[in-house]
Amino acid sequence: MLDKLRPEFKQMKGALFFNSVFGGGAYTFLLNLSKQFPVLIVDPRADSRSINGFTLQYIFKGEKQDFIVNDLDLVIEKLELEEICVNHLIYSNTIGSYIDLIIDLKHKYNLAIKVYLHDFYSICPSINLLDYKAEFCNIPSNSSCNACLEKYDNPVNTLTFNKSEVLKTKELHQNNILVWRNMWRKLFDEASYFILPSNAAAELWGKAFPEYSKQITILHHDLSYLSAICQHKNEAMLPFYQVYVIGDLAEHKGSGIIHGILELIKINKLNICINIIGAYDGSLFVNTPYLKLHGRFEHDIIANILNNKDINCFIMPSICPETFSYVTQEMMATGLPIIAFNLGAQAQFLSKYESGILVDEINPQKVFDEVFKLYQSHKQLMYDGLFNSRKTSVINDFIRKYELCLIENEKLYALLRDNQLKDKLSSVEREFNCVKQELKNVYNSKSWQVTKSLRIFMRFLKR
């Protein structure tokens, strides 16, 4: 296999990456690079090692192939490599031994080491700078970090993702943040370059490792794929205000925030629906009109998904600072309003985005307040369009009755969906049918220019 790859790597200047993440932004970054030149990945996770040696993955222009080599010396010699790139060492039970291996290869073959930083794992094993209380720590003093690491042993802490990583790497950090960071310094002292995807990420990383500030390069990820996402020039006019969230929702990605917003929508009985494109474990609102799950998706079809959805606004609910956030860039490509917390790269990008709304306090109520403002504006815009006719009073009467019926509770919503609402509302049946007939007359009149929003309301009525 290496003999086959040799001409290609030499001609196209292929690269060797140590990478343990095969999903999310870090892997997407490698997939984008592989469109330009061949990439060979060494997987440093303990379970990737075979009896025979190292598991490697070759990717180039959509082609992928896994194979095994006895040792990495053969790879470097055959492909005549001049540098080693470190993309990620997370999830490896032997990080220290891989750092030693990389350093040994550097000195043996006079290689350069280039380190790409996609998160804050080298600063803290919690990965996302969330402390034991699931709050952004902003990199406090070493003593505060040590106290926080010790508190992760508390079983009351339920931040599963961060807690599992802190506890899994306890032998490496020993509840001492300097022990952890000095392990990484051993690698960083040998590196020539540090590549970070945003100024916001570089500023945070520089707080923990200021000695490498002159070696930092800011390199935004490839965003050429965003050109396929169309701007939503006209606001979606639907009975429910459509709020979208992109990406899998774990605690650090804001699952708790979304749950809190759903609770507030239900309490206030609002025609607002949260749509999640990605994984979400919360099941409480699944059978309600307030939540719609679209499932997980492949990154290369996100443009098609966004181009074919009726969207009013986005929430970017991460409670941790992102180093780049493809998701934020994808939302921005639509031109629609985006609500996010004021931290990380997401805030850096949205602060320059005309429709960006940054929330300073990490709290579901604060995000809900911003969604509600947008919803009220949308509602007024919808009413203004629908009521602009000779039959204003009839339309107004219908809309308000329709809305009251719809948001009364989830059972009425289900009845409306199954075309059984009329039977359950016998006390107001005559009035309901009267409004229905008046609306039908308006719909059929030549003077009425049928709008998209009215057609949607008619479809809901006929269900």
Side-chain angles (χ1 to χ4, degrees):
M1 182 66 181
L2 292 174
D3 289 330
K4 177 183 176 182
L5 297 180
R6 182 173 180 173
E8 193 174 76
F9 263 71
K10 193 170 182 179
Q11 181 180 359
M12 304 291 293
K13 294 185 178 181
L16 176 70
F17 280 85
F18 281 79
N19 175 69
S20 55
V21 176
F22 292 83
Y27 189 56
T28 298
F29 165 72
L30 292 180
L31 293 177
N32 286 333
L33 285 183
S34 72
K35 297 174 184 177
Q36 306 167 35
F37 52 80
V39 169
L40 194 59
I41 298 173
V42 180
D43 185 349
R45 293 174 298 179
D47 58 359
S48 72
R49 292 289 297 271
S50 71
I51 297 175
N52 299 319
F54 298 84
T55 299
L56 277 69
Q57 182 180 83
Y58 162 80
I59 51 175
F60 184 46
K61 293 185 176 179
E63 179 186 350
K64 291 183 184 179
Q65 187 170 346
D66 295 335
F67 62 99
I68 295 173
V69 296
N70 293 328
D71 60 69
L72 296 180
D73 292 76
L74 186 64
V75 175
I76 292 170
E77 291 170 359
K78 284 276 188 180
L79 302 182
E80 300 181 23
L81 298 175
E82 297 179 356
E83 70 177 15
I84 294 174
C85 301
V86 179
N87 199 55
H88 241 308
L89 297 179
I90 194 173
Y91 308 136
S92 171
N93 295 327
T94 55
I95 296 174
S97 65
Y98 270 94
I99 287 176
D100 290 338
L101 173 61
I102 292 167
I103 293 172
D104 288 345
L105 291 172
K106 173 197 171 174
H107 292 299
K108 187 174 182 179
Y109 294 100
N110 193 27
L111 303 173
I113 295 178
K114 187 181 292 184
V115 178
Y116 291 84
L117 296 158
H118 298 282
D119 55 35
F120 303 108
Y121 189 53
S122 57
I123 297 177
C124 176
S126 68
I127 304 174
N128 302 302
L129 302 184
L130 296 181
D131 62 18
Y132 74 99
K133 296 182 292 185
E135 296 175 355
F136 172 49
C137 70
N138 202 22
I139 313 178
S141 65
N142 292 339
S143 59
S144 296
C145 289
N146 294 340
C148 178
L149 289 173
E150 290 175 357
K151 290 176 181 175
Y152 269 98
D153 284 329
N154 186 344
V156 174
N157 181 337
T158 59
L159 192 64
T160 307
F161 178 75
N162 290 50
K163 182 174 182 177
S164 64
E165 291 306 316
V166 171
L167 296 180
K168 188 170 70 176
T169 57
K170 187 173 181 178
E171 289 186 6
L172 296 174
H173 61 72
Q174 302 168 30
N175 285 346
N176 187 324
I177 201 64
L178 280 180
V179 170
W180 177 259
R181 292 176 189 170
N182 287 339
M183 177 186 70
W184 291 98
R185 281 189 171 94
K186 187 177 179 181
L187 172 64
F188 295 165
D189 285 344
E190 302 287 341
S192 303
Y193 311 99
F194 300 92
I195 295 89
L196 290 102
S198 70
N199 288 316
E203 289 175 9
L204 282 171
W205 189 78
K207 288 182 68 174
F209 299 102
E211 63 267 41
Y212 308 113
S213 60
K214 292 183 180 180
Q215 297 162 259
I216 291 175
T217 298
I218 307 299
L219 180 65
H220 288 181
H221 295 327
D222 179 17
L223 297 175
S224 57
Y225 75 100
L226 295 180
S227 61
I229 299 176
C230 301
Q231 287 224 341
H232 291 236
K233 296 181 179 179
N234 298 315
E235 184 174 356
M237 290 297 177
L238 296 171
F240 269 78
Y241 188 71
Q242 302 296 321
V243 181
Y244 272 73
V245 181
I246 303 176
D248 295 345
L249 288 182
E251 288 99 338
H252 64 292
K253 292 293 186 180
S255 61
I257 297 297
I258 295 302
H259 181 83
I261 293 170
L262 285 166
E263 290 278 8
L264 290 165
I265 292 171
K266 180 178 180 179
I267 290 169
N268 291 277
K269 296 181 179 179
L270 300 174
N271 287 23
I272 299 175
C273 180
I274 303 293
N275 296 262
I276 299 175
I277 304 175
Y280 177 64
D281 292 334
S283 58
L284 183 60
F285 295 94
V286 168
N287 295 318
T288 75
Y290 308 123
L291 175 66
K292 184 174 182 181
L293 303 179
H294 298 263
R296 305 187 76 175
F297 63 98
E298 294 295 331
H299 185 262
D300 57 359
I301 65 169
I302 188 62
N304 184 55
I305 293 173
L306 294 180
N307 290 345
N308 291 284
K309 298 293 184 184
D310 289 309
I311 306 169
N312 292 109
C313 77
F314 291 99
I315 296 176
M316 202 293 177
S318 289
I319 61 175
C320 62
E322 301 284 347
T323 56
F324 184 73
S325 182
Y326 282 103
V327 162
T328 300
Q329 300 290 340
E330 290 156 4
M331 293 174 177
M332 289 168 60
T334 67
L336 293 168
I338 306 168
I339 305 167
F341 293 116
N342 191 13
L343 75 168
Q346 62 267 50
Q348 176 192 326
F349 296 132
L350 290 176
S351 64
K352 301 175 183 177
Y353 177 64
E354 184 177 356
S355 299
I357 301 169
L358 295 176
V359 177
D360 290 326
E361 184 180 341
I362 299 178
N363 183 300
Q365 178 69 58
K366 299 298 182 181
V367 179
F368 170 80
D369 291 343
E370 297 299 334
V371 172
F372 184 71
K373 291 176 187 176
L374 294 172
Y375 166 69
Q376 288 288 73
S377 298
H378 160 83
K379 191 175 177 181
Q380 189 59 51
L381 183 65
M382 177 181 282
Y383 286 178
D384 289 346
L386 288 171
F387 301 163
N388 185 22
S389 83
R390 292 179 301 160
K391 299 287 186 178
T392 296
S393 60
V394 174
I395 301 298
N396 183 66
D397 192 35
F398 167 76
I399 295 299
R400 298 201 182 282
K401 286 184 175 60
Y402 173 88
E403 186 177 62
L404 287 172
C405 290
L406 185 61
I407 68 177
E408 183 61 28
N409 56 45
E410 285 75 24
K411 289 183 179 179
L412 283 178
Y413 171 82
L415 291 170
L416 177 66
R417 180 190 59 205
D418 298 331
N419 199 28
Q420 299 173 29
L421 183 62
K422 190 173 72 172
D423 296 334
K424 298 295 180 181
L425 297 176
S426 58
S427 62
V428 292
E429 181 177 344
R430 182 177 299 178
E431 183 180 5
F432 188 83
N433 286 336
C434 179
V435 173
K436 179 179 178 180
Q437 185 59 46
E438 285 291 334
L439 184 64
K440 185 177 180 181
N441 293 339
V442 173
Y443 181 82
N444 292 329
S445 67
K446 294 181 180 180
S447 61
W448 176 259
Q449 184 178 358
V450 180
T451 63
K452 177 183 177 181
S453 52
L454 183 57
R455 292 196 298 273
I456 293 169
F457 271 86
M458 285 295 294
R459 285 201 296 271
F460 257 78
L461 182 63
K462 291 176 181 178
R463 287 183 179 181

